[in-house]
Amino acid sequence: MTLARAFAFVVASGVALYGSTARAQTRPTLAPDARTASFRRGRDEQVALYLLAGGYMLRTGTAINLLFDRRPDDGEPETYWILPSALAVGGLVGMFFLDRNVSIRRGRPFTVGTSVLLGYVGALTLTTYVRGERLPSVTSIAGPATWVGSTAGLVTGIMVGHLTDAHPGQALYVGTGGVGGALVGAFLCGAARCGSDLGLYAFVGQIAGMALTLSTAWKVDPPAREMRATAVGMTVGTLPALGAALAFALRDGTLSDDTLARVGWFSLAGLLAGGAAGYSVARASRANASNSPSSANFMLVPMGDPYGLRAATGLSLVGTF
């Protein structure tokens, strides 16, 4: 009986060990790379990184040129663009090596890019107002003040992205609100024939848009694809009116108050209608985009969402409009 019991114990132990091994082999596991892949930046943010690096260094070159009394309309464009172009190429090369050697978390590129853009627009609106300009001049657009604003935005964006771990959609949401608010203010200025108060109207609009979106970004937490579609819709919506303004400027040599008023109203209507249309189209196609095989391979799961609920509702960084 003792030998039989020992044999039975060995057999039972072997069966239990085999069962546990089989379960361990069939249990889904995450590779180390898969556990961290959900926090890495997407392809659209990679494009944003290169645009940010090239654009910022190009802007640095134009600011340096202006310090030495070089302007793009000084009659020597072939020499004016040497320094900005060289710095832009250097920025792209530097970003290439940085992107290859540093794992940049998702949300950081859009946060920094948004902050740089808002810093530039804020400095541009204030400079335009201080200089009393009806339309921004070359000095206001390419001067040191806007470079300082962009640099301040760069530093702020890095800090905000690190401290808040913002999602891509949140960053685009704030950027759309700030830039859209500045455009609404500028178009209202034209409609109201405000003259040299253009910068003030645009600055107040930017602050209002930023305050609204910053206070609701973490509650709304919109998908990035919807914010991209909204921004594209706003841009496309303003193109007809801006094209008409350019045609008037080329024909008459200047823009009268009546022309600016008409352009302001039509641009404002196009901005709002285009943004609403872009958002509606992206939201209506959210389910299809989140379930499509092409976007499933690049679906990123946000922090605090281990079951992929937000990803299942459309938070795709590579999904199309």
Side-chain angles (χ1 to χ4, degrees):
M1 292 295 294
T2 303
L3 182 60
R5 289 180 178 178
F7 179 77
F9 175 78
V10 171
V11 172
S13 300
V15 171
L17 180 61
Y18 175 81
S20 61
T21 303
R23 286 193 299 270
Q25 291 176 346
T26 58
R27 185 183 300 125
T29 58
L30 286 176
D33 290 342
R35 287 194 295 268
T36 58
S38 60
F39 305 136
R40 294 176 182 169
R41 57 105 185 99
R43 292 185 179 180
D44 54 350
E45 289 195 293
Q46 185 179 29
V47 174
L49 280 175
Y50 283 94
L51 290 177
L52 174 62
Y56 178 76
M57 295 309 295
L58 180 72
R59 180 66 193 82
T60 300
T62 58
I64 294 175
N65 275 345
L66 196 60
L67 289 176
F68 290 94
D69 295 327
R70 293 299 314 276
R71 298 166 57 92
D73 55 354
D74 61 5
E76 298 181 358
E78 66 278 1
T79 59
Y80 175 86
W81 292 106
I82 291 178
L83 178 62
S85 300
L87 291 179
V89 172
L92 293 174
V93 173
M95 182 55 65
F96 173 78
F97 287 104
L98 177 66
D99 189 39
R100 286 176 60 90
N101 295 282
V102 178
S103 179
I104 301 176
R105 291 174 67 92
R106 60 187 293 271
R108 301 290 201 275
F110 279 157
T111 302
V112 176
T114 291
S115 186
V116 169
L117 180 61
L118 292 176
Y120 175 85
V121 172
L124 175 62
T125 56
L126 287 178
T127 304
T128 302
Y129 175 66
V130 171
R131 293 174 59 87
E133 298 171 342
R134 292 176 69 246
L135 294 173
S137 64
V138 173
T139 302
S140 297
I141 294 172
T146 49
W147 181 83
V148 172
S150 300
T151 304
L154 178 68
V155 176
T156 303
I158 294 174
M159 294 177 58
V160 171
H162 176 72
L163 295 176
T164 65
D165 199 27
H167 295 167
Q170 294 168 341
L172 293 177
Y173 178 65
V174 176
T176 302
V179 176
L183 291 176
V184 168
F187 295 149
L188 284 176
C189 171
R193 306 169 188 260
C194 71
S196 59
D197 289 334
L198 170 68
L200 179 61
Y201 274 67
F203 182 73
V204 171
Q206 178 182 357
I207 296 300
M210 289 175 56
L212 177 63
T213 50
L214 277 173
S215 62
T216 58
W218 274 262
K219 181 177 181 180
V220 175
D221 195 15
R225 64 185 302 272
E226 293 181 5
M227 291 299 97
R228 291 198 304 269
T230 301
V232 170
M234 293 168 64
T235 302
V236 173
T238 59
L239 289 180
L242 296 180
L246 178 61
F248 277 111
L250 293 176
R251 188 192 68 178
D252 302 332
T254 185
L255 291 175
S256 64
D257 289 340
D258 291 339
T259 300
L260 288 176
R262 290 194 294 268
V263 170
W265 283 120
F266 281 113
S267 298
L268 181 61
L271 179 79
L272 299 177
Y279 177 80
S280 299
V281 169
R283 187 171 180 83
S285 62
R286 177 188 292 188
N288 293 334
S290 62
N291 294 326
S292 64
S294 60
S295 63
N297 295 331
F298 303 103
M299 196 70 68
L300 302 183
V301 182
M303 293 184 65
D305 187 30
Y307 299 104
L309 296 179
R310 291 181 185 172
T313 57
L315 186 53
S316 170
L317 299 187
V318 188
T320 59
F321 299 132

